[in-house]
Amino acid sequence: MSQFFEQAPGYLPILMQGVYLTLLVTIGAFVLATVLGLVWASMRVSGIAPLAWTASTIIIIVRGIPGMVILFYIYFVMPDLGLSLTAVQAAIIGLGIAYSPYMAEVFRSGIEAIDRGQTEAALSIGMGWGMLMRRIILPQAIRVALPPYGSTMIMLLKDSSLASTITVAELSLQGKLLASSTFENTIIFTLVALIYLAMSLPLTAFNSWLERRLGKSR
Amino acid sequence: MSIIELKNIRKSFGTIEVIHDISFSVKKGEVVCIIGPSGSGKSTLLRCINGLETYQGGEIRVHGDRVDTASRTIRRIRTRVAMVFQRFNLFPHMTALENVAEGPIYVKKEPREKALEHARELLTRVGLAAKADSYPPQLSGGQQQRVAIARALGMQPDAILFDEPTSALDPELVGEVLSVMRSLAAEGMTMVVVTHEMGFAREVADRVLFLDGGVLVEQGPPEEVLSRPQNPRTQDFLRRVLEA
């Protein structure tokens, strides 16, 4: 225990470089997954059959392929098709795509949780589809979707370690490299675990705060 | 002059026809009450008028415009024919005032200040000036339905459709909603009301329509349809309602 506290500070600066990349990949992928998820979800609830069908198909395909394989595909296969990306770019795009189906389902379940009467009331005062979504459905759906949205963000934070498989030296890879050169497996992997936990705890706290808040207003 | 005109309306859900060849029209300033057993197609018929339901045969016209959910005119028709729902359907994330001003500001593009001022007047008119900043879940059912009526009035419609406006209310809250509706009728608002409140129909309606099994069985002034019904189905229905 005392050995841990003596040596840990020495390893922190190197691990922090990994933290920077972990956060970069997580936030980048989170933004992309949110945008794509919103697009898929809108297509699914649009009521236009070809759009809904296309979105469902995309969701089924992407969800059925492991994130790691999607990363390999983007990083190693795309260059053959003439599109070369840096490892970090590939990680952000790959994880963003891999997570978009989960985001889409979070948004869709939020939208579908809203009572049909809300749609009817909005239509009955002459609203069109866009305004109905923007003014009536989405503001309510967000309240429903926020808690699962938060958990998805935590999952994505942890799965950003997949980026290590395409050479992004994020926290887990940085830890592994450090451990294999120092043989201080216990100290380093404990540190890595604690740092991941430290990043997810604020998210968890924020999440449960939201749930309490929304629970009250209902 | 007729504001609303229905000609030979037929409506099916799948292969089951729920409305069989119904025709009637509503003149400006007229109050028409539609009564009948549940499942008789009253609400469905009402919802066809502002395009919340489609219909398969015949034609509905509002001010001469054909009601067609696939057409662009449907939104204009809906701003002219407002609707009050059984379950109020207020927007829970907005205050009472915002609920009333939502349509005028965002659909009719009225200046915000003017719309809010008008919304305040309407809330006063339904006796809820003090609740302008309350959210729907903080209001009683009767209060919510009065806000919903104010929201309908906010669109400055030519007619208002009421879909069983008091059926979801506790008995002691029915009166406040009916009294608002009475005063609207007295001011000359054109109203089509699907209701189980026979007292209200008798007192306020210019004309009562009795629907049974998707058929318009009988229509006429309330004193005739409600007091001296000609058709055995109407007689039977009224006997059962009045016994209860």
Side-chain angles (χ1 to χ4, degrees):
Chain A
M1 200 59 181
S2 66
Q3 197 200 0
F4 177 82
F5 285 110
E6 273 166 33
Q7 299 200 13
Y11 297 125
L12 269 178
I14 299 175
L15 292 179
M16 281 303 158
Q17 294 169 13
V19 167
Y20 166 72
L21 284 174
T22 290
L23 289 176
L24 185 66
V25 168
T26 303
I27 293 168
F30 191 68
V31 171
L32 180 63
T34 300
V35 172
L36 288 176
L38 272 176
V39 172
W40 308 151
S42 317
M43 286 166 72
R44 283 199 72 169
V45 301
S46 65
I48 302 167
L51 287 184
W53 185 86
T54 307
S56 303
T57 311
I58 292 172
I59 288 172
I60 289 168
I61 292 174
V62 174
R63 198 163 48 184
I65 300 173
M68 199 188 286
V69 176
I70 293 177
L71 289 181
F72 288 165
Y73 215 88
I74 287 176
Y75 190 56
F76 297 119
V77 179
M78 291 313 248
D80 292 348
L81 304 173
L83 182 66
S84 290
L85 297 165
T86 68
V88 171
Q89 287 169 342
I92 289 174
I93 293 172
L95 285 171
I97 292 174
Y99 262 71
S100 64
Y102 303 108
M103 291 297 192
E105 294 299 90
V106 165
F107 296 136
R108 186 175 68 101
S109 60
I111 289 169
E112 289 182 350
I114 306 306
D115 185 63
R116 170 91 195 136
Q118 292 291 305
T119 300
E120 294 187 347
L123 293 178
S124 79
I125 58 172
M127 284 191 180
W129 192 84
M131 194 183 288
L132 158 73
M133 280 292 153
R134 213 166 53 247
R135 295 284 315 161
I136 307 300
I137 304 295
L138 289 181
Q140 298 183 61
I142 283 168
R143 294 174 164 217
V144 182
L146 266 177
Y149 187 63
S151 343
T152 310
M153 185 163 189
I154 293 169
M155 276 163 56
L156 182 53
L157 170 72
K158 295 186 296 177
D159 278 357
S160 67
S161 58
L162 284 175
S164 65
T165 60
I166 55 167
T167 75
V168 176
E170 44 65 69
L171 180 54
S172 71
L173 181 55
Q174 205 70 313
K176 196 176 142 210
L177 294 174
L178 199 56
S180 57
S181 60
T182 62
F183 301 108
E184 293 288 3
N185 288 317
T186 313
I187 293 176
I188 288 164
F189 287 124
T190 306
L191 259 179
V192 167
L194 287 175
I195 294 172
Y196 271 115
L197 192 60
M199 289 191 286
S200 70
L201 278 181
L203 290 175
T204 311
F206 177 64
N207 219 15
S208 47
W209 174 78
L210 268 180
E211 281 180 40
R212 274 200 312 277
R213 229 192 85 140
L214 297 179
K216 264 183 209 159
S217 76
R218 286 255 150 178
Chain B
M1 185 194 117
S2 293
I3 290 186
I4 299 167
E5 229 176 327
L6 290 84
K7 261 188 218 154
N8 308 108
I9 296 309
R10 290 179 182 279
K11 156 93 190 161
S12 314
F13 289 112
T15 54
I16 301 162
E17 190 169 277
V18 292
I19 291 175
H20 313 286
D21 194 14
I22 289 187
S23 303
F24 71 93
S25 59
V26 182
K27 288 198 280 290
K28 189 169 162 41
E30 206 177 10
V31 176
V32 173
C33 283
I34 305 179
I35 62 168
S38 46
S40 59
K42 319 182 287 292
S43 290
T44 307
L45 186 65
L46 193 77
R47 290 158 57 84
C48 286
I49 296 175
N50 73 345
L52 287 181
E53 299 277 359
T54 56
Y55 52 95
Q56 279 72 43
E59 192 173 66
I60 301 178
R61 285 184 182 273
V62 172
H63 273 311
D65 288 328
R66 188 171 191 279
V67 177
D68 176 0
T69 45
S71 148
R72 291 184 175 281
T73 54
I74 190 69
R75 286 175 60 190
R76 195 179 59 193
I77 290 171
R78 284 173 177 153
T79 62
R80 292 166 148 197
V81 180
M83 178 117 181
V84 173
F85 298 88
Q86 181 177 358
R87 307 243 11 125
F88 332 130
N89 298 350
L90 292 179
F91 306 129
H93 57 303
M94 299 180 190
T95 63
L97 188 70
E98 289 165 343
N99 264 279
V100 179
E102 179 72 12
I105 293 175
Y106 291 95
V107 178
K108 298 182 85 179
K109 313 286 182 203
E110 286 176 15
R112 193 177 175 81
E113 287 312 310
K114 190 180 145 235
L116 287 173
E117 195 190 313
H118 187 222
R120 236 175 252 288
E121 288 167 17
L122 290 171
L123 284 177
T124 307
R125 192 163 152 195
V126 299
L128 289 172
K131 299 288 183 185
D133 297 322
S134 300
Y135 286 87
Q138 300 166 326
L139 300 174
S140 74
Q143 290 170 333
Q144 289 191 53
Q145 194 60 299
R146 285 188 282 154
V147 173
I149 293 174
R151 176 172 69 182
L153 289 171
M155 298 305 291
Q156 297 179 285
D158 299 326
I160 304 182
L161 312 174
F162 292 84
D163 186 8
E164 303 198 25
T166 58
S167 297
L169 297 176
D170 292 336
E172 77 272 21
L173 302 177
V174 169
E176 61 189 71
V177 171
L178 290 184
S179 89
V180 168
M181 291 170 63
R182 249 182 228 113
S183 70
L184 284 183
E187 290 162 29
M189 176 57 76
T190 310
M191 296 160 60
V192 183
V193 187
V194 169
T195 188
H196 292 291
E197 297 291 332
M198 294 304 147
F200 176 82
R202 188 185 301 273
E203 180 194 343
V204 179
D206 297 304
R207 196 146 44 97
V208 173
L209 272 56
F210 173 70
L211 254 66
D212 190 11
V215 175
L216 177 51
V217 174
E218 190 165 354
Q219 63 169 317
E223 54 274 20
E224 281 178 21
V225 176
L226 298 177
S227 307
R228 294 182 299 278
Q230 301 302 308
N231 191 295
R233 283 155 87 180
T234 321
Q235 292 164 359
D236 185 49
F237 171 73
L238 288 171
R239 194 177 313 118
R240 273 181 289 132
V241 169
L242 296 176
E243 271 169 16

